[in-house]
Amino acid sequence: MQNLQRLFTHFACICALSVLALAHDLRVFGTNPQITAMLELLYPQGLIGLNYAPYPEDRDFMPDGVATLPVLGVIGGGKMLSFEKLLSLKPDVVFFGEPLAQEIADSYKKLGIQVVTLKSHDISHLAHNIQIIAATLPIESRARDLQEFIATTQSRLSALQEQITYRPKVYFALGLDGLQTQCANEAHADLAYQIGGINALSCAQLSSSYTSINYEKLLALNPDIIFVREIALYKKLLTNPPKQWQALRAVQTKQLFYAPSSPSNWLTKPPPSVMQIIGIPWAFAKVQPTLLSQEEAQAIVFSFFEKFLRPLDVPSFKRLQGLR
């Protein structure tokens, strides 16, 4: 009888904790921008802080209330995470990227904070990371919707990949001068390949996938299409390109595109986020417009924003692409 009473008491405690958890949103934090970008989509109501202050152009595209959250920093670079400031906001769950040192995990766990680790960002790890987040937070329906969106979009792109007959050379112009870039390590895993092209620069004999080049090297590469990371450089290349750039095929044919970065980066550096879900089909439509039309790419973007961020209109979509 006593054992039965203990079991009933234990069950009642579990139920009480479950009711308490449902009575309020869990307070969560992601320790790097890639994780925070996923939490913005899946559980914005529970976020207690950001890794960096959002840029003014990002604010209109972020979920309600997220842009004004306090900046707490990041683990692994940039503004270092303030442990004390984070604790003052009483988080229930803190998400880390792998690998996570045991002593760091223990410092949170001993304070009653749940520690969850996710794989480093890669489009191939998205499904895994969403499953882990969904197992931790009460977001089963929303996570399922996001998984379905990813699966549908990737299935469509995979089918289109098989129809490509010509891959133009793609260059990713990073940095204020456009001379930092992302080269190709493995052709089929490379971003340029995923968007229907081939990277103008191979990583062979380079020490890093992110590298700097000079104008002479860029001219030798002479890409067909350029995706520009910085909006100021993009506008200059469109209206008044520097003399060295004027000889480039992509500049002459105006095959220049600003890579959207709101509310977080759609394509490449700084490290890409879950927004690649729409960034890759958006860019694919620029590289292979006969296989995926601009209208179809726009429909994918609009659907994503309506489901997971906030509804877009045509002027806002143009602004995202640096066209306003």
Side-chain angles (χ1 to χ4, degrees), residues 219-283:
L219 183 58
L221 296 173
N222 203 13
D224 301 297
I225 298 173
I226 297 176
F227 289 94
V228 184
R229 178 65 183 86
E230 301 296 337
I231 189 66
L233 176 63
Y234 171 68
K235 292 186 178 297
K236 179 187 288 187
L237 292 177
L238 277 184
T239 59
N240 187 28
K243 185 176 180 180
Q244 298 98 320
W245 289 75
Q246 292 176 16
L248 294 175
R249 182 184 303 112
V251 174
Q252 294 173 354
T253 59
K254 294 196 179 298
Q255 288 297 292
L256 302 163
F257 304 103
Y258 170 65
S261 60
S262 295
S264 57
N265 190 28
W266 289 25
L267 285 181
T268 182
K269 194 176 181 179
S273 73
V274 65
M275 294 299 291
Q276 277 191 328
I277 294 170
I278 56 173
I280 289 176
W282 169 84

Side-chain angles (χ1 to χ4, degrees), residues 83-106:
F83 183 69
E84 293 76 14
K85 191 172 182 180
L86 175 58
L87 291 185
S88 72
L89 296 174
K90 298 179 169 49
D92 297 302
V93 186
V94 176
F95 291 89
F96 292 84
E98 294 180 345
L100 174 63
Q102 189 60 48
E103 58 268 24
I104 294 178
D106 290 343

Side-chain angles (χ1 to χ4, degrees), residues 13-241:
C13 290
I14 292 175
C15 289
L17 287 171
S18 300
V19 170
L20 182 62
L22 291 172
H24 71 281
D25 292 324
L26 292 172
R27 299 172 64 79
V28 303
F29 180 71
T31 57
N32 67 48
Q34 293 79 20
I35 295 174
T36 299
M38 283 195 290
L39 294 175
E40 285 182 21
L41 299 182
L42 292 169
Y43 201 63
Q45 69 271 29
L47 268 177
I48 60 173
L50 301 174
N51 307 113
Y52 60 87
Y55 295 101
E57 61 267 26
D58 295 343
R59 292 175 173 269
D60 290 344
F61 302 104
M62 299 173 77
D64 290 339
V66 171
T68 57
L69 290 173
V71 176
L72 304 181
V74 62
I75 285 184
K79 179 180 171 60
M80 293 303 295
L81 179 67
S82 169
F83 183 69
E84 293 76 14
K85 191 172 182 180
L86 175 58
L87 291 185
S88 72
L89 296 174
K90 298 179 169 49
D92 297 302
V93 186
V94 176
F95 291 89
F96 292 84
E98 294 180 345
L100 174 63
Q102 189 60 48
E103 58 268 24
I104 294 178
D106 290 343
S107 65
Y108 286 85
K109 289 177 180 178
K110 71 180 182 182
L111 296 173
I113 300 169
Q114 185 176 357
V115 171
V116 178
T117 56
L118 302 175
K119 291 184 180 295
S120 60
H121 177 79
D122 183 285
I123 196 77
S124 65
H125 293 156
L126 274 180
H128 169 85
N129 286 340
I130 293 168
Q131 287 177 350
I132 297 299
I133 295 173
T136 307
L137 305 177
I139 55 165
E140 181 179 351
S141 176
R142 194 167 180 84
R144 184 170 59 249
D145 288 345
L146 185 56
Q147 294 278 41
E148 289 176 357
F149 190 99
I150 294 170
T152 299
T153 303
Q154 290 184 332
S155 176
R156 188 175 184 187
L157 287 174
S158 294
L160 292 176
Q161 288 280 355
E162 296 178 2
Q163 300 177 41
I164 295 174
T165 57
Y166 168 71
R167 291 181 177 274
K169 291 193 297 182
V170 174
Y171 177 78
F172 299 103
L174 310 179
L176 295 174
D177 62 1
L179 295 177
Q180 288 78 55
T181 192
Q182 176 179 336
C183 58
N185 273 315
E186 299 177 32
H188 287 65
D190 178 60
L191 178 61
Y193 190 92
Q194 293 178 55
I195 63 175
I198 185 169
N199 201 311
L201 182 64
S202 169
C203 288
Q205 299 178 337
L206 296 175
S207 59
S208 171
S209 59
Y210 291 105
T211 189
S212 295
I213 61 174
N214 54 35
Y215 287 113
E216 290 73 22
K217 179 66 174 177
L218 180 55
L219 183 58
L221 296 173
N222 203 13
D224 301 297
I225 298 173
I226 297 176
F227 289 94
V228 184
R229 178 65 183 86
E230 301 296 337
I231 189 66
L233 176 63
Y234 171 68
K235 292 186 178 297
K236 179 187 288 187
L237 292 177
L238 277 184
T239 59
N240 187 28

